[in-house]
Amino acid sequence: MRAQIKLGRIFGVEIGLHYSWFIIALLITFSLAGQFQENNPGWSDGLRWGISIVTAVLFFAAIVVHELSHAMVAKFRGLPVRSITLFALGGVAQIEKEAADAKTEFWMGIIGPITSFVIGVVCLAIAVALGWTPPEFPQQPLPAMLMWLGYINIGLAIFNMIPGFPLDGGRVLRGAVWWITGNAVRATTIAARIGQVIAFLMIIFGLLQFFRGAGFNGLWMAFIGWFLLSASRESYAQMVITEGLRGLRVGDVMSRDFPVVDANSNLQTFAEEHLTRTGRRFWVVMLNGQPEGIVTPHEISTVPRNRWPYTTIADVMRPLDATRTVNPNTPVTEALEVMARQDLNQLPVVNEKGLAGLISRAHILQVIQTRAELHL
Ligand SMILES: [Zn+2]
């Protein structure tokens, strides 16, 4: 989720908006205006809309504070935080690494709901101090605004404590199980399963409500459940990969034997003898026994077919020093990120002596599978 509009920095964390945010901001402003009209018919149109807009802005400010609380715990525990983005379904703090220990995971998760809860209680307390007597609907603008902010922030705290990824409660549950059992993988599995069960229950309950005549509210609940279910599957898969590769370096999993091709051979021979026969998609180009570059079907396809007999591999190869490489000490997760970012399926591994091996996505997947099978 990348921000398209940048608002500035707080504590070194970039705050931004995704375009989808405008939809929810409009929806919230309109729904507030509707509620104020119903409960405060004496207000003028200008007052009603003014209060609705200010309330909506403060609501999003409270979400930023909620996300900032996650970011501050992450920073305090040594995890780099890139940015906070507001989008259609709330806010998200981009924390660049997964927590390395249970306590960090637990506190990083629970601080958000605590923050929202405190904001909510403070708003309600100020509203009462200003003369609001619950459960009446306040007629003065300021208490009315504070009451709404108080309820919605407490609601946000409760919603976020639902123990399913990617909600904070999922993180808290995972951190707690990890803390107690000392086993990160098991904690991930247990938290993910509980999250999925809850998401299923929300869908079923929401649909039941809908068919009993609850209308939109029932559908909304089913929708949130469905969203939680798919989001939890994704973050679970991501976490399994990160867990499976924790501590692994490129040097541990790279393949040291890689297919080679001579720089002086022409494309025709290369295509006939290697390309169309082996199904491989990546060769190291050797010149005088030294690796000089790499070649893939992509480079070959840039040359017209009738020129193949007159073009050498050296003419079309990507020179090694112009290719993105990793070294044997690079964490495997980082190599995967590089491949994803550059849309590559493999990377040459280079140490101080030159080419040391190859690492590919397919190979990393096999490593994950094998390790999962052996419960490593
Ligand atoms: Zn949160």
Side-chain angles (χ1 to χ4, degrees):
M1 184 64 59
R2 288 202 184 279
Q4 286 138 338
I5 297 170
K6 296 192 169 128
L7 299 177
R9 287 176 169 273
I10 304 178
F11 301 125
V13 180
E14 203 179 274
I15 315 287
L17 295 179
H18 185 263
Y19 287 144
S20 64
W21 173 80
F22 287 99
I23 301 167
I24 196 74
L26 268 180
L27 270 179
I28 287 199
T29 311
F30 273 90
S31 115
L32 277 170
Q35 286 193 29
F36 287 137
Q37 182 164 38
E38 197 175 304
N39 297 295
N40 306 79
W43 290 7
S44 70
D45 280 355
L47 179 64
R48 194 174 74 225
W49 283 103
I51 293 293
S52 302
I53 292 170
V54 174
T55 309
V57 169
L58 286 176
F59 168 57
F60 287 107
I63 291 185
V64 170
V65 174
H66 170 117
E67 295 303 330
L68 264 178
S69 72
H70 289 305
M72 289 304 110
V73 171
K75 275 199 156 182
F76 186 71
R77 306 288 293 198
L79 301 173
V81 182
R82 199 190 309 152
S83 60
I84 288 172
T85 307
L86 292 180
F87 71 115
L89 291 166
V92 58
Q94 259 117 17
I95 297 164
E96 291 188 9
K97 279 186 191 152
E98 287 290 328
D101 62 289
K103 284 181 192 170
T104 304
E105 181 81 339
F106 180 81
W107 288 115
M108 205 161 72
I110 207 164
I111 192 71
I114 291 178
T115 306
S116 289
F117 189 77
V118 169
I119 294 175
V121 168
V122 168
C123 286
L124 291 182
I126 299 176
V128 167
L130 289 173
W132 170 48
T133 36
E136 301 282 305
F137 205 88
Q139 288 308 307
Q140 293 302 311
L142 196 57
M145 186 172 87
L146 286 166
M147 180 205 77
W148 196 88
L149 285 172
Y151 283 154
I152 195 75
N153 274 291
I154 290 172
L156 207 64
I158 295 170
F159 175 70
N160 264 297
M161 279 307 286
I162 294 173
F165 293 121
L167 294 177
D168 296 337
R171 222 170 245 285
V172 173
L173 179 65
R174 177 171 181 252
V177 177
W178 186 358
W179 204 335
I180 295 164
T181 63
N183 187 331
V185 180
R186 237 180 99 196
T188 307
T189 316
I190 292 175
R193 288 225 178 104
I194 293 181
Q196 279 167 5
V197 168
I198 287 172
F200 262 122
L201 289 178
M202 281 175 82
I203 295 175
I204 293 167
F205 188 70
L207 288 177
L208 277 180
Q209 292 287 92
F210 175 70
F211 288 121
R212 278 187 181 166
F216 183 71
N217 283 338
L219 271 193
W220 182 242
M221 189 176 210
F223 170 75
I224 302 251
W226 169 81
F227 165 75
L228 280 183
L229 194 63
S230 54
S232 89
R233 280 214 188 104
E234 239 167 75
S235 33
Y236 176 66
Q238 183 59 46
M239 233 172 289
V240 166
I241 292 178
T242 316
E243 280 306 327
L245 298 175
R246 189 190 288 283
L248 274 187
R249 312 256 155 197
V250 165
D252 302 330
V253 299
M254 70 182 184
S255 52
R256 286 182 174 74
D257 54 331
F258 35 80
V260 296
V261 57
D262 189 72
N264 295 317
S265 62
N266 68 49
L267 299 194
Q268 186 71 38
T269 325
F270 173 62
E272 278 165 11
E273 285 179 8
H274 301 280
L275 198 55
T276 52
R277 255 176 219 222
T278 59
R280 285 182 187 271
R281 308 196 42 89
F282 190 91
W283 282 265
V284 173
V285 183
M286 304 295 281
L287 185 65
N288 304 325
Q290 286 297 315
E292 285 294 319
I294 57 162
V295 67
T296 68
H298 174 75
E299 278 77 36
I300 312 297
S301 68
T302 58
V303 180
R305 211 154 181 166
N306 57 359
R307 300 295 308 155
W308 283 8
Y310 317 105
T311 312
T312 65
I313 296 285
D315 296 333
V316 298
M317 71 175 189
R318 264 189 286 160
L320 211 51
D321 46 17
T323 308
R324 188 74 174 82
T325 59
V326 287
N327 72 58
N329 286 321
T330 312
V332 172
T333 44
E334 211 178 299
L336 266 179
E337 277 164 24
V338 172
M339 285 188 263
R341 230 178 7 241
Q342 315 232 339
D343 204 20
L344 298 169
N345 285 317
Q346 62 279 303
L347 286 171
V349 184
V350 172
N351 60 18
E352 60 283 353
K353 282 183 216 135
L355 191 69
L358 281 184
I359 186 162
S360 71
R361 289 202 218 200
H363 191 70
I364 295 173
L365 267 179
Q366 282 168 356
V367 171
I368 296 172
Q369 248 170 23
T370 311
R371 286 168 71 104
E373 262 169 42
L374 300 174
H375 301 288
L376 288 173

